[in-house]
Amino acid sequence: TGKTFFVDLSRCTGCRGCQIACKQWKNKPVEPTENTGSHQNPPDLSWQTLKVVRFSEKTIDGKFHWLFLPDQCRHCLDAPCKMVGDAEVPDAIMQDPQTGAVVFTEKCKGLNAQGIREACPYDIPRVDKATKLMYKCDLCNDRIHAGMVPSCVQTCPTGTMNFGDRDEMLALARDRLAKLKVKFPKAELVDADSVRVIFLCTQPPSAYYKHLQFGDAGPRPLSRKAFLAKVMRPLR
Ligand code: SF4
Ligand code: SF4
Ligand code: SF4
């Protein structure tokens, strides 16, 4: 139930249309930036950049790959950020029962932002130091309730970004995976059973970005259950 993104990375050209569409819909300004030796720009997410297309150059099995990842909040089914937030201010982080969107509300001002950041397995939330408010993608929940698709999905010209009812998206994801496996035996769906933004990779997830897959950046054997138990320890 609820909504889900299916993001087929085999189709992404790194055009950044989705990144710009997100800024436009969210009315966020461009930020001053600098050349970091990568085509990725800006270099990271921020409270004003809720979606960033990450660029990675990797040689895998002797073959060069230029990999693109349109990175955003995954809208986890059991969201660790919400579990930690609820222990401090209940429903400051809201989960829409209809769409499944995980949304940071104004009440987040009272939360320990560092704790929320550490709880997120995908390193998503960012804080505006001036207002102490936390920001991230909200699934364009307002657009969905108005019968539209998220702004980034609407803009994507290549069929990378897809959006719809969860069952429909899971079926599409499994169908595309089966087709891609013929050419890319390593292809996989990332954390499909626990998130609402499901990426299809043709290369190992860590080649795209260290936080693409749950647990990749931390100690690998930590299971989802053990991780949740860890983040749910009583807060200071
Ligand atoms: Fe941005 Fe909306 Fe896409 Fe989230 S769903 S990345 S807020 S455009
Ligand atoms: Fe929360 Fe991070 Fe999951 Fe988004 S990706 S719902 S910020 S834990
Ligand atoms: Fe990739 Fe589509 Fe975003 Fe362009 S708009 S960077 S093709 S996901």
Side-chain angles (χ1 to χ4, degrees):
T1 56
K3 299 292 182 183
T4 286
F5 274 75
F6 166 55
V7 187
D8 180 350
L9 295 180
S10 75
R11 299 188 176 203
C12 181
T13 59
C15 74
R16 278 189 282 243
C18 53
Q19 184 180 308
I20 292 160
C22 179
K23 282 224 179 240
Q24 278 174 341
W25 182 254
K26 292 295 169 193
N27 209 9
K28 298 277 195 186
V30 291
E31 295 179 86
T33 186
E34 58 186 33
N35 189 340
T36 58
S38 161
H39 289 275
Q40 186 178 312
N41 187 16
D44 201 1
L45 294 169
S46 79
W47 72 275
Q48 291 177 312
T49 299
L50 311 183
K51 170 162 216 148
V52 71
V53 181
R54 298 190 184 278
F55 288 56
S56 164
E57 296 171 42
K58 285 271 158 35
T59 302
I60 302 165
D61 299 334
K63 208 172 153 215
F64 177 77
H65 294 270
W66 206 14
L67 304 170
F68 310 116
L69 169 66
D71 194 16
Q72 65 173 96
C73 170
R74 311 297 198 275
H75 297 274
C76 305
L77 301 186
D78 295 315
C81 61
K82 176 169 170 58
M83 290 182 192
V84 169
D86 280 353
E88 288 188 85
V89 183
D91 279 333
I93 299 176
M94 185 272 286
Q95 195 156 25
D96 187 316
Q98 247 179 294
T99 64
V102 176
V103 178
F104 287 1
T105 71
E106 289 268 323
K107 285 197 279 180
C108 284
K109 213 169 183 168
L111 296 179
N112 166 9
Q114 188 60 25
I116 304 294
R117 282 210 59 177
E118 283 171 12
C120 176
Y122 306 105
D123 191 31
I124 297 297
R126 295 293 188 271
V127 185
D128 174 6
K129 287 196 182 113
T131 63
K132 304 276 188 297
L133 276 172
M134 283 184 289
Y135 289 88
K136 69 168 190 68
C137 152
D138 67 356
L139 209 85
C140 280
N141 209 29
D142 52 351
R143 289 177 62 101
I144 302 170
H145 280 288
M148 297 187 279
V149 298
S151 182
C152 52
V153 177
Q154 172 126 4
T155 297
C156 178
T158 61
T160 303
M161 309 273 311
N162 304 270
F163 182 84
D165 290 339
R166 184 164 177 83
D167 294 351
E168 189 192 323
M169 287 299 110
L170 281 171
L172 179 63
R174 289 188 193 116
D175 184 55
R176 290 253 189 107
L177 175 67
K179 287 186 178 124
L180 277 167
K181 277 268 190 194
V182 178
K183 193 173 167 202
F184 303 99
K186 287 185 193 151
E188 64 175 284
L189 298 172
V190 182
D191 298 339
D193 57 352
S194 53
V195 297
R196 287 189 189 276
V197 178
I198 299 172
F199 290 101
L200 196 175
C201 300
T202 55
Q203 304 301 325
S206 60
Y208 293 77
Y209 175 52
K210 63 181 177 179
H211 294 297
L212 172 51
Q213 187 174 41
F214 180 89
D216 260 0
R220 199 60 183 104
L222 201 63
S223 69
R224 186 166 187 90
K225 205 172 155 205
F227 174 84
L228 291 178
K230 188 169 162 237
V231 301
M232 283 308 287
R233 279 179 316 189
L235 294 163
R236 284 160 280 137

Short mmCIF file of all heavy atoms in Angstrom, two decimals, residues 89-146:
data_model
loop_
_atom_site.label_atom_id
_atom_site.label_comp_id
_atom_site.label_asym_id
_atom_site.label_seq_id
_atom_site.Cartn_x
_atom_site.Cartn_y
_atom_site.Cartn_z
N VAL A 89 9.76 14.15 20.40
CA VAL A 89 8.54 14.93 20.13
C VAL A 89 7.66 14.09 19.18
O VAL A 89 7.92 14.03 17.98
CB VAL A 89 8.86 16.29 19.45
CG1 VAL A 89 7.58 17.10 19.25
CG2 VAL A 89 9.88 17.08 20.25
N PRO A 90 6.63 13.42 19.75
CA PRO A 90 5.81 12.54 18.90
C PRO A 90 5.25 13.26 17.68
O PRO A 90 4.76 14.38 17.79
CB PRO A 90 4.69 12.10 19.85
CG PRO A 90 5.28 12.23 21.22
CD PRO A 90 6.23 13.39 21.16
N ASP A 91 5.39 12.61 16.54
CA ASP A 91 4.87 13.09 15.25
C ASP A 91 5.46 14.41 14.77
O ASP A 91 4.89 15.05 13.88
CB ASP A 91 3.34 13.14 15.26
CG ASP A 91 2.75 11.76 15.00
OD1 ASP A 91 3.43 10.94 14.34
OD2 ASP A 91 1.63 11.49 15.46
N ALA A 92 6.59 14.81 15.33
CA ALA A 92 7.34 15.92 14.70
C ALA A 92 7.73 15.46 13.30
O ALA A 92 7.72 16.22 12.34
CB ALA A 92 8.57 16.27 15.53
N ILE A 93 8.09 14.17 13.20
CA ILE A 93 8.30 13.56 11.89
C ILE A 93 7.06 12.72 11.61
O ILE A 93 6.75 11.77 12.33
CB ILE A 93 9.58 12.70 11.87
CG1 ILE A 93 10.80 13.59 12.17
CG2 ILE A 93 9.73 11.98 10.53
CD1 ILE A 93 12.12 12.85 12.28
N MET A 94 6.32 13.11 10.60
CA MET A 94 5.01 12.53 10.31
C MET A 94 5.12 11.53 9.16
O MET A 94 5.91 11.74 8.24
CB MET A 94 4.10 13.71 9.90
CG MET A 94 2.65 13.39 9.67
SD MET A 94 2.29 12.89 7.98
CE MET A 94 2.38 14.43 7.07
N GLN A 95 4.38 10.43 9.27
CA GLN A 95 4.31 9.50 8.14
C GLN A 95 2.88 9.50 7.63
O GLN A 95 1.96 9.14 8.36
CB GLN A 95 4.75 8.10 8.58
CG GLN A 95 5.04 7.18 7.41
CD GLN A 95 5.99 6.05 7.77
OE1 GLN A 95 6.07 5.66 8.93
NE2 GLN A 95 6.69 5.51 6.78
N ASP A 96 2.71 9.91 6.39
CA ASP A 96 1.37 10.02 5.81
C ASP A 96 0.77 8.62 5.64
O ASP A 96 1.33 7.80 4.89
CB ASP A 96 1.48 10.74 4.45
CG ASP A 96 0.13 11.04 3.84
OD1 ASP A 96 -0.76 10.16 3.87
OD2 ASP A 96 -0.04 12.16 3.32
N PRO A 97 -0.35 8.32 6.32
CA PRO A 97 -0.89 6.96 6.23
C PRO A 97 -1.37 6.59 4.83
O PRO A 97 -1.43 5.42 4.49
CB PRO A 97 -2.07 6.99 7.22
CG PRO A 97 -2.36 8.43 7.50
CD PRO A 97 -1.13 9.21 7.18
N GLN A 98 -1.69 7.60 4.02
CA GLN A 98 -2.18 7.30 2.66
C GLN A 98 -1.05 7.04 1.68
O GLN A 98 -1.04 6.07 0.97
CB GLN A 98 -2.98 8.51 2.17
CG GLN A 98 -4.46 8.23 2.01
CD GLN A 98 -5.15 9.48 1.54
OE1 GLN A 98 -5.21 10.48 2.26
NE2 GLN A 98 -5.63 9.45 0.32
N THR A 99 -0.08 7.96 1.65
CA THR A 99 0.99 7.86 0.65
C THR A 99 2.22 7.16 1.18
O THR A 99 3.03 6.64 0.41
CB THR A 99 1.41 9.27 0.17
OG1 THR A 99 1.97 9.98 1.31
CG2 THR A 99 0.25 10.05 -0.39
N GLY A 100 2.43 7.19 2.50
CA GLY A 100 3.65 6.62 3.10
C GLY A 100 4.78 7.64 3.20
O GLY A 100 5.86 7.31 3.71
N ALA A 101 4.57 8.86 2.71
CA ALA A 101 5.63 9.88 2.76
C ALA A 101 6.05 10.15 4.20
O ALA A 101 5.20 10.25 5.08
CB ALA A 101 5.12 11.17 2.12
N VAL A 102 7.35 10.25 4.42
CA VAL A 102 7.89 10.63 5.73
C VAL A 102 8.23 12.12 5.64
O VAL A 102 9.04 12.53 4.81
CB VAL A 102 9.16 9.81 6.06
CG1 VAL A 102 9.77 10.27 7.38
CG2 VAL A 102 8.83 8.32 6.10
N VAL A 103 7.54 12.92 6.49
CA VAL A 103 7.61 14.37 6.33
C VAL A 103 8.10 15.03 7.62
O VAL A 103 7.57 14.75 8.70
CB VAL A 103 6.22 14.94 5.95
CG1 VAL A 103 6.27 16.47 5.82
CG2 VAL A 103 5.72 14.33 4.65
N PHE A 104 9.10 15.89 7.50
CA PHE A 104 9.57 16.67 8.65
C PHE A 104 8.65 17.89 8.82
O PHE A 104 8.53 18.71 7.91
CB PHE A 104 11.01 17.18 8.42
CG PHE A 104 12.08 16.13 8.51
CD1 PHE A 104 11.77 14.80 8.77
CD2 PHE A 104 13.42 16.47 8.37
CE1 PHE A 104 12.76 13.83 8.87
CE2 PHE A 104 14.41 15.50 8.47
CZ PHE A 104 14.09 14.18 8.71
N THR A 105 8.00 18.00 9.99
CA THR A 105 7.08 19.13 10.22
C THR A 105 7.79 20.25 10.99
O THR A 105 8.93 20.08 11.42
CB THR A 105 5.85 18.68 11.04
OG1 THR A 105 6.27 18.43 12.38
CG2 THR A 105 5.21 17.42 10.46
N GLU A 106 7.08 21.33 11.21
CA GLU A 106 7.63 22.48 11.95
C GLU A 106 8.08 22.06 13.36
O GLU A 106 8.97 22.67 13.94
CB GLU A 106 6.56 23.58 12.07
CG GLU A 106 6.26 24.28 10.76
CD GLU A 106 7.13 25.51 10.57
OE1 GLU A 106 7.39 26.19 11.57
OE2 GLU A 106 7.56 25.77 9.43
N LYS A 107 7.41 21.03 13.89
CA LYS A 107 7.73 20.59 15.27
C LYS A 107 9.15 20.01 15.37
O LYS A 107 9.65 19.80 16.47
CB LYS A 107 6.71 19.53 15.73
CG LYS A 107 5.35 20.12 16.09
CD LYS A 107 4.52 19.15 16.92
CE LYS A 107 3.84 18.11 16.08
NZ LYS A 107 3.03 17.15 16.81
N CYS A 108 9.80 19.76 14.22
CA CYS A 108 11.16 19.20 14.24
C CYS A 108 12.16 20.14 14.88
O CYS A 108 13.27 19.73 15.23
CB CYS A 108 11.62 18.86 12.82
SG CYS A 108 10.87 17.38 12.18
N LYS A 109 11.78 21.41 15.02
CA LYS A 109 12.68 22.39 15.63
C LYS A 109 13.11 21.94 17.03
O LYS A 109 14.21 22.25 17.48
CB LYS A 109 11.95 23.74 15.73
CG LYS A 109 12.87 24.92 15.56
CD LYS A 109 12.05 26.19 15.41
CE LYS A 109 12.96 27.38 15.15
NZ LYS A 109 12.26 28.54 14.74
N GLY A 110 12.23 21.19 17.71
CA GLY A 110 12.53 20.75 19.07
C GLY A 110 13.37 19.48 19.14
O GLY A 110 13.69 19.00 20.22
N LEU A 111 13.73 18.90 17.99
CA LEU A 111 14.42 17.62 18.00
C LEU A 111 15.94 17.78 18.02
O LEU A 111 16.48 18.78 17.55
CB LEU A 111 14.03 16.81 16.76
CG LEU A 111 12.58 16.38 16.62
CD1 LEU A 111 12.40 15.60 15.32
CD2 LEU A 111 12.15 15.53 17.80
N ASN A 112 16.60 16.75 18.52
CA ASN A 112 18.06 16.68 18.47
C ASN A 112 18.46 16.30 17.04
O ASN A 112 18.41 15.13 16.66
CB ASN A 112 18.53 15.64 19.50
CG ASN A 112 19.97 15.23 19.31
OD1 ASN A 112 20.71 15.82 18.52
ND2 ASN A 112 20.38 14.21 20.04
N ALA A 113 18.85 17.31 16.26
CA ALA A 113 19.11 17.09 14.83
C ALA A 113 20.24 16.09 14.61
O ALA A 113 20.19 15.27 13.69
CB ALA A 113 19.44 18.42 14.14
N GLN A 114 21.23 16.14 15.47
CA GLN A 114 22.36 15.22 15.31
C GLN A 114 21.89 13.77 15.44
O GLN A 114 22.28 12.90 14.66
CB GLN A 114 23.42 15.54 16.38
CG GLN A 114 24.73 14.80 16.21
CD GLN A 114 25.42 15.10 14.87
OE1 GLN A 114 25.19 16.17 14.27
NE2 GLN A 114 26.19 14.15 14.38
N GLY A 115 21.00 13.53 16.42
CA GLY A 115 20.46 12.18 16.63
C GLY A 115 19.68 11.70 15.42
O GLY A 115 19.78 10.54 15.01
N ILE A 116 18.91 12.62 14.82
CA ILE A 116 18.12 12.26 13.64
C ILE A 116 19.05 11.94 12.48
O ILE A 116 18.87 10.95 11.75
CB ILE A 116 17.17 13.42 13.24
CG1 ILE A 116 16.27 13.83 14.40
CG2 ILE A 116 16.35 13.06 12.00
CD1 ILE A 116 15.27 12.81 14.85
N ARG A 117 20.07 12.77 12.32
CA ARG A 117 21.02 12.54 11.22
C ARG A 117 21.70 11.19 11.36
O ARG A 117 21.86 10.45 10.39
CB ARG A 117 22.07 13.65 11.18
CG ARG A 117 21.57 14.93 10.56
CD ARG A 117 22.68 15.68 9.88
NE ARG A 117 23.31 14.87 8.84
CZ ARG A 117 24.26 15.28 8.05
NH1 ARG A 117 24.71 16.50 8.16
NH2 ARG A 117 24.79 14.50 7.13
N GLU A 118 22.10 10.87 12.58
CA GLU A 118 22.80 9.59 12.81
C GLU A 118 21.87 8.40 12.61
O GLU A 118 22.32 7.32 12.26
CB GLU A 118 23.40 9.57 14.22
CG GLU A 118 24.66 10.41 14.32
CD GLU A 118 25.15 10.58 15.74
OE1 GLU A 118 24.65 9.87 16.64
OE2 GLU A 118 26.03 11.44 15.95
N ALA A 119 20.59 8.61 12.84
CA ALA A 119 19.64 7.50 12.68
C ALA A 119 19.40 7.14 11.22
O ALA A 119 19.04 6.01 10.90
CB ALA A 119 18.30 7.87 13.32
N CYS A 120 19.61 8.09 10.31
CA CYS A 120 19.29 7.84 8.90
C CYS A 120 20.38 6.99 8.25
O CYS A 120 21.52 7.41 8.15
CB CYS A 120 19.14 9.16 8.14
SG CYS A 120 18.87 8.86 6.38
N PRO A 121 20.04 5.80 7.77
CA PRO A 121 21.04 4.92 7.16
C PRO A 121 21.56 5.45 5.83
O PRO A 121 22.55 4.95 5.32
CB PRO A 121 20.30 3.61 6.95
CG PRO A 121 18.93 3.78 7.49
CD PRO A 121 18.70 5.21 7.78
N TYR A 122 20.87 6.43 5.26
CA TYR A 122 21.24 6.92 3.93
C TYR A 122 21.82 8.34 3.95
O TYR A 122 21.99 8.97 2.91
CB TYR A 122 20.01 6.84 3.00
CG TYR A 122 19.41 5.46 2.98
CD1 TYR A 122 18.23 5.17 3.65
CD2 TYR A 122 20.04 4.42 2.29
CE1 TYR A 122 17.68 3.89 3.66
CE2 TYR A 122 19.51 3.14 2.28
CZ TYR A 122 18.33 2.87 2.96
OH TYR A 122 17.81 1.61 2.95
N ASP A 123 22.07 8.86 5.14
CA ASP A 123 22.69 10.18 5.33
C ASP A 123 21.92 11.29 4.59
O ASP A 123 22.49 12.04 3.79
CB ASP A 123 24.16 10.16 4.86
CG ASP A 123 24.90 11.42 5.30
OD1 ASP A 123 24.55 11.98 6.36
OD2 ASP A 123 25.81 11.87 4.58
N ILE A 124 20.63 11.40 4.87
CA ILE A 124 19.79 12.34 4.13
C ILE A 124 19.50 13.67 4.84
O ILE A 124 19.70 14.73 4.23
CB ILE A 124 18.44 11.65 3.74
CG1 ILE A 124 18.69 10.46 2.81
CG2 ILE A 124 17.47 12.65 3.14
CD1 ILE A 124 19.31 10.81 1.47
N PRO A 125 19.04 13.68 6.09
CA PRO A 125 18.57 14.98 6.64
C PRO A 125 19.68 16.01 6.74
O PRO A 125 20.83 15.69 7.02
CB PRO A 125 18.08 14.60 8.05
CG PRO A 125 17.86 13.12 8.01
CD PRO A 125 18.87 12.58 7.06
N ARG A 126 19.31 17.27 6.51
CA ARG A 126 20.25 18.39 6.62
C ARG A 126 19.58 19.51 7.43
O ARG A 126 18.36 19.66 7.40
CB ARG A 126 20.62 18.93 5.23
CG ARG A 126 21.39 17.95 4.35
CD ARG A 126 22.79 17.67 4.89
NE ARG A 126 23.60 16.88 3.98
CZ ARG A 126 23.67 15.55 3.96
NH1 ARG A 126 22.91 14.85 4.80
NH2 ARG A 126 24.45 14.91 3.11
N VAL A 127 20.41 20.29 8.14
CA VAL A 127 19.89 21.30 9.06
C VAL A 127 20.22 22.71 8.56
O VAL A 127 21.33 22.95 8.08
CB VAL A 127 20.52 21.12 10.46
CG1 VAL A 127 19.90 22.08 11.46
CG2 VAL A 127 20.37 19.68 10.93
N ASP A 128 19.25 23.61 8.67
CA ASP A 128 19.50 25.03 8.45
C ASP A 128 19.99 25.61 9.78
O ASP A 128 19.21 25.67 10.74
CB ASP A 128 18.21 25.72 7.99
CG ASP A 128 18.37 27.24 7.88
OD1 ASP A 128 19.51 27.73 8.06
OD2 ASP A 128 17.35 27.91 7.63
N LYS A 129 21.26 25.96 9.83
CA LYS A 129 21.84 26.40 11.10
C LYS A 129 21.12 27.62 11.67
O LYS A 129 21.00 27.79 12.88
CB LYS A 129 23.33 26.72 10.92
CG LYS A 129 24.17 25.46 10.76
CD LYS A 129 25.65 25.76 10.96
CE LYS A 129 26.47 24.50 10.75
NZ LYS A 129 27.32 24.55 9.58
N ALA A 130 20.60 28.48 10.79
CA ALA A 130 19.96 29.72 11.25
C ALA A 130 18.65 29.44 11.97
O ALA A 130 18.36 30.02 13.01
CB ALA A 130 19.72 30.65 10.07
N THR A 131 17.84 28.53 11.43
CA THR A 131 16.51 28.30 12.02
C THR A 131 16.46 27.01 12.84
O THR A 131 15.47 26.77 13.53
CB THR A 131 15.45 28.17 10.91
OG1 THR A 131 15.78 27.01 10.12
CG2 THR A 131 15.42 29.39 10.01
N LYS A 132 17.50 26.18 12.74
CA LYS A 132 17.57 24.86 13.41
C LYS A 132 16.56 23.86 12.83
O LYS A 132 16.34 22.79 13.40
CB LYS A 132 17.34 24.98 14.94
CG LYS A 132 18.26 25.93 15.66
CD LYS A 132 19.57 25.23 16.00
CE LYS A 132 20.48 26.05 16.90
NZ LYS A 132 20.93 27.31 16.28
N LEU A 133 15.91 24.21 11.74
CA LEU A 133 14.96 23.29 11.13
C LEU A 133 15.68 22.28 10.24
O LEU A 133 16.69 22.61 9.61
CB LEU A 133 13.93 24.06 10.30
CG LEU A 133 12.74 24.63 11.08
CD1 LEU A 133 11.91 25.54 10.18
CD2 LEU A 133 11.85 23.52 11.64
N MET A 134 15.16 21.05 10.20
CA MET A 134 15.74 20.02 9.35
C MET A 134 14.95 19.91 8.05
O MET A 134 13.74 20.11 8.05
CB MET A 134 15.69 18.67 10.07
CG MET A 134 16.74 18.51 11.13
SD MET A 134 16.67 16.86 11.81
CE MET A 134 15.18 16.98 12.73
N TYR A 135 15.67 19.58 6.99
CA TYR A 135 15.04 19.48 5.68
C TYR A 135 15.43 18.20 4.97
O TYR A 135 16.53 17.69 5.16
CB TYR A 135 15.45 20.67 4.80
CG TYR A 135 14.85 21.97 5.25
CD1 TYR A 135 15.50 22.75 6.20
CD2 TYR A 135 13.64 22.41 4.74
CE1 TYR A 135 14.95 23.95 6.63
CE2 TYR A 135 13.08 23.61 5.15
CZ TYR A 135 13.74 24.37 6.11
OH TYR A 135 13.19 25.55 6.52
N LYS A 136 14.51 17.71 4.16
CA LYS A 136 14.76 16.59 3.25
C LYS A 136 13.60 16.53 2.27
O LYS A 136 12.60 17.25 2.44
CB LYS A 136 14.90 15.28 4.02
CG LYS A 136 13.60 14.83 4.65
CD LYS A 136 13.69 13.42 5.15
CE LYS A 136 12.32 12.90 5.54
NZ LYS A 136 11.39 12.71 4.42
N CYS A 137 13.70 15.66 1.29
CA CYS A 137 12.61 15.42 0.33
C CYS A 137 11.36 14.97 1.08
O CYS A 137 11.43 14.16 1.99
CB CYS A 137 13.07 14.33 -0.64
SG CYS A 137 11.76 13.32 -1.35
N ASP A 138 10.18 15.49 0.68
CA ASP A 138 8.92 15.08 1.33
C ASP A 138 8.04 14.26 0.38
O ASP A 138 6.83 14.16 0.58
CB ASP A 138 8.17 16.30 1.86
CG ASP A 138 7.68 17.20 0.73
OD1 ASP A 138 7.98 16.92 -0.45
OD2 ASP A 138 6.99 18.19 1.03
N LEU A 139 8.67 13.68 -0.66
CA LEU A 139 7.96 12.88 -1.67
C LEU A 139 7.01 13.73 -2.51
O LEU A 139 6.15 13.20 -3.21
CB LEU A 139 7.19 11.72 -0.99
CG LEU A 139 6.98 10.43 -1.78
CD1 LEU A 139 8.16 9.50 -1.66
CD2 LEU A 139 5.73 9.68 -1.32
N CYS A 140 7.17 15.06 -2.42
CA CYS A 140 6.20 15.96 -3.08
C CYS A 140 4.78 15.56 -2.66
O CYS A 140 3.88 15.43 -3.51
CB CYS A 140 6.35 15.93 -4.60
SG CYS A 140 7.69 16.96 -5.22
N ASN A 141 4.60 15.36 -1.37
CA ASN A 141 3.34 14.84 -0.86
C ASN A 141 2.15 15.72 -1.26
O ASN A 141 1.05 15.22 -1.51
CB ASN A 141 3.43 14.73 0.68
CG ASN A 141 2.57 13.62 1.22
OD1 ASN A 141 2.31 12.63 0.54
ND2 ASN A 141 2.11 13.79 2.44
N ASP A 142 2.36 17.04 -1.35
CA ASP A 142 1.27 17.94 -1.75
C ASP A 142 0.84 17.66 -3.19
O ASP A 142 -0.35 17.63 -3.51
CB ASP A 142 1.68 19.42 -1.58
CG ASP A 142 3.01 19.77 -2.24
OD1 ASP A 142 3.73 18.85 -2.70
OD2 ASP A 142 3.34 20.97 -2.31
N ARG A 143 1.79 17.41 -4.05
CA ARG A 143 1.47 17.10 -5.45
C ARG A 143 0.71 15.78 -5.56
O ARG A 143 -0.26 15.65 -6.32
CB ARG A 143 2.75 17.00 -6.29
CG ARG A 143 3.45 18.33 -6.52
CD ARG A 143 4.74 18.13 -7.30
NE ARG A 143 4.54 17.58 -8.62
CZ ARG A 143 4.55 18.30 -9.75
NH1 ARG A 143 4.77 19.61 -9.70
NH2 ARG A 143 4.34 17.73 -10.92
N ILE A 144 1.15 14.78 -4.78
CA ILE A 144 0.51 13.46 -4.85
C ILE A 144 -0.96 13.57 -4.44
O ILE A 144 -1.85 13.03 -5.11
CB ILE A 144 1.24 12.44 -3.95
CG1 ILE A 144 2.70 12.33 -4.37
CG2 ILE A 144 0.58 11.07 -4.05
CD1 ILE A 144 3.56 11.55 -3.40
N HIS A 145 -1.21 14.32 -3.35
CA HIS A 145 -2.60 14.49 -2.90
C HIS A 145 -3.43 15.27 -3.92
O HIS A 145 -4.66 15.18 -3.91
CB HIS A 145 -2.63 15.16 -1.53
CG HIS A 145 -2.35 14.19 -0.41
ND1 HIS A 145 -3.25 13.22 -0.01
CD2 HIS A 145 -1.26 14.01 0.37
CE1 HIS A 145 -2.72 12.49 0.97
NE2 HIS A 145 -1.51 12.95 1.22
N ALA A 146 -2.76 16.03 -4.77
CA ALA A 146 -3.48 16.78 -5.81
C ALA A 146 -3.56 15.98 -7.12
O ALA A 146 -3.93 16.52 -8.17
CB ALA A 146 -2.78 18.11 -6.05
#
